[in-house]
Amino acid sequence: MKSTKSLYSYGFLLPAGIIFFIFFLLPTMVSFFFSMTRWTLTDWEFIGLDNFIMFFKESSLNIGFRNTFIYAVMTSGTKVVFGLLLAVLLTSGMRSKDFLRSVVFFPTLISTIAVGITFSYLMHPSRGLINTALAALGIQGPNWLGDPALAIYSVGLVDIWKGVGFATVIYIAGMMSIPADYYEAVDIDGGNAFRKFWHITLPLIRPAMNSVIILSFIGGLRTFDLVWTMTKGGPGFSSDLIASIIYKQYQGGFYGLSTAGNVILFVIVAVLAFPLYRFLTKREVDL
């Protein structure tokens, strides 16, 4: 009887398991195979690890690795901090907090491609609204997307603007789940707002914070569409990420090479994200 109940329970997991296998496990296994081939839409040839060796010989790969890690750390770190500050503000007693929540979350709903195109115009060095406004204040605006030293950071700022609302919503959900009795206890002890935040809010929103850190960091490592829309990896290779390098290889018809690049990116994300997840959840349990 017990085994029958167990099989009955697992039966509910079967549809999700089939979907997971078809749309994740199977494509992953196929990608690993084709990363070791030279393939087209009609033919393939097994070449072993040649694609991986060739990928690591890519001239702009060092820049791509450096930019990817800088971009991921910069965008995820800023979203974690600013999302928390906005969440604290938007869960306070201010009168217009509901409206401001909508304003903060709105950029998340906009297509990334649309955001990239819009900010490409806004950041134009001579005709862009941003530099025009700075000129009106007597400030000469930089070439946001044309300066090799500035381009990747300019795209990162746009990414932060678009994604901080999502982090804020996660934080707000975590804060609203904290029982009001805890804050009342601090009030009885004569605690101020800082003590409430430091001793109640910050420890108890650790699961929400961990989610923001993991999601934003993985998103930063995998970013492609915003960078490609705004700079296409330029000027030169100065804002290339690993994902944009892979796409350029695909554009050149090197399908096996680009597939190997995707496998490498998958491994990099897993190697970095899994230990980070374990570390964060361990600290969460210790609390």
Side-chain angles (χ1 to χ4, degrees), residues 83-104:
L84 178 59
L85 295 176
L86 286 171
V88 171
L89 177 66
L90 297 177
T91 52
S92 64
M94 61 187 307
R95 295 177 56 185
S96 56
K97 62 181 180 182
D98 292 334
F99 171 73
L100 291 177
R101 286 179 185 179
S102 301
V103 172
V104 169

Side-chain angles (χ1 to χ4, degrees), residues 64 119 131 141 181 194 279:
F119 273 90
N131 279 3
D181 297 346
F194 177 77
F279 171 74

Side-chain angles (χ1 to χ4, degrees), residues 55 60-77 152-153 155-156 159 216-224 227 233 237-246 261 264-270 272:
F55 184 84
S60 61
L61 189 61
N62 288 337
I63 298 174
F65 272 115
R66 183 196 66 193
N67 285 345
T68 299
F69 293 126
I70 291 174
Y71 188 93
V73 172
M74 176 183 69
T75 56
S76 61
I152 189 66
Y153 300 102
V155 178
D159 191 326
S216 58
F217 184 64
I218 292 176
L221 291 174
R222 296 174 59 249
T223 293
F224 164 74
V227 171
F237 303 109
S238 61
S239 63
D240 256 332
L241 304 180
I242 297 176
S244 63
I245 293 173
I246 293 170
I264 292 170
L265 181 58
F266 173 82
V267 172
I268 290 172
V269 171
L272 293 177

Side-chain angles (χ1 to χ4, degrees), residues 168-196:
T168 304
V169 168
I170 295 177
Y171 278 128
I172 290 175
M175 291 178 183
M176 294 182 70
S177 66
I178 300 174
D181 297 346
Y182 294 172
Y183 295 109
E184 292 173 1
V186 177
D187 286 331
I188 293 172
D189 290 339
N192 54 23
F194 177 77
R195 286 189 62 188
K196 290 180 181 178

Side-chain angles (χ1 to χ4, degrees), residues 8-280:
Y8 180 76
S9 301
Y10 283 120
F12 286 100
L13 299 176
L14 185 60
I18 293 173
I19 293 174
F20 182 75
F21 175 78
I22 293 174
F23 291 102
F24 179 77
L25 286 182
L26 183 60
T28 301
M29 291 186 291
V30 171
S31 295
F32 271 90
F33 172 76
F34 277 104
S35 67
M36 293 184 287
T37 66
R38 184 181 293 112
W39 64 273
T40 65
L41 294 178
T42 58
D43 192 19
W44 62 270
E45 175 190 357
F46 187 81
I47 58 174
L49 299 177
D50 288 357
N51 283 329
F52 294 93
I53 296 172
M54 191 180 303
F55 184 84
F56 281 108
K57 290 181 178 179
E58 175 69 41
S59 59
S60 61
L61 189 61
N62 288 337
I63 298 174
F65 272 115
R66 183 196 66 193
N67 285 345
T68 299
F69 293 126
I70 291 174
Y71 188 93
V73 172
M74 176 183 69
T75 56
S76 61
T78 308
K79 290 174 186 177
V80 169
V81 175
F82 273 86
L84 178 59
L85 295 176
L86 286 171
V88 171
L89 177 66
L90 297 177
T91 52
S92 64
M94 61 187 307
R95 295 177 56 185
S96 56
K97 62 181 180 182
D98 292 334
F99 171 73
L100 291 177
R101 286 179 185 179
S102 301
V103 172
V104 169
F105 187 69
F106 178 73
T108 307
L109 304 176
I110 307 174
S111 164
T112 303
I113 303 299
V115 169
I117 293 173
T118 301
F119 273 90
S120 295
Y121 286 104
L122 293 176
M123 289 181 168
H124 191 278
S126 59
R127 301 189 301 273
L129 182 61
I130 295 176
N131 279 3
T132 301
L134 291 175
L137 299 174
I139 302 172
Q140 182 176 359
N143 189 350
W144 299 97
L145 303 177
D147 185 344
L150 193 60
I152 189 66
Y153 300 102
S154 300
V155 178
L157 288 175
V158 177
D159 191 326
I160 292 165
W161 174 84
K162 185 182 187 309
V164 73
F166 183 70
T168 304
V169 168
I170 295 177
Y171 278 128
I172 290 175
M175 291 178 183
M176 294 182 70
S177 66
I178 300 174
D181 297 346
Y182 294 172
Y183 295 109
E184 292 173 1
V186 177
D187 286 331
I188 293 172
D189 290 339
N192 54 23
F194 177 77
R195 286 189 62 188
K196 290 180 181 178
F197 172 77
W198 190 258
H199 295 290
I200 303 297
T201 304
L202 197 57
L204 294 181
I205 62 166
R206 182 61 63 81
M209 180 179 290
N210 293 346
S211 298
V212 173
I213 293 172
I214 292 295
L215 292 174
S216 58
F217 184 64
I218 292 176
L221 291 174
R222 296 174 59 249
T223 293
F224 164 74
D225 43 5
L226 190 61
V227 171
W228 190 258
T229 304
M230 296 184 68
T231 66
K232 288 184 171 56
F237 303 109
S238 61
S239 63
D240 256 332
L241 304 180
I242 297 176
S244 63
I245 293 173
I246 293 170
Y247 185 70
K248 288 178 180 179
Q249 293 168 344
Y250 182 83
Q251 278 188 318
F254 302 103
Y255 304 129
L257 182 61
S258 62
T259 306
N262 275 310
V263 170
I264 292 170
L265 181 58
F266 173 82
V267 172
I268 290 172
V269 171
V271 167
L272 293 177
F274 185 69
L276 178 62
Y277 171 78
R278 291 292 300 272
F279 171 74
L280 293 173

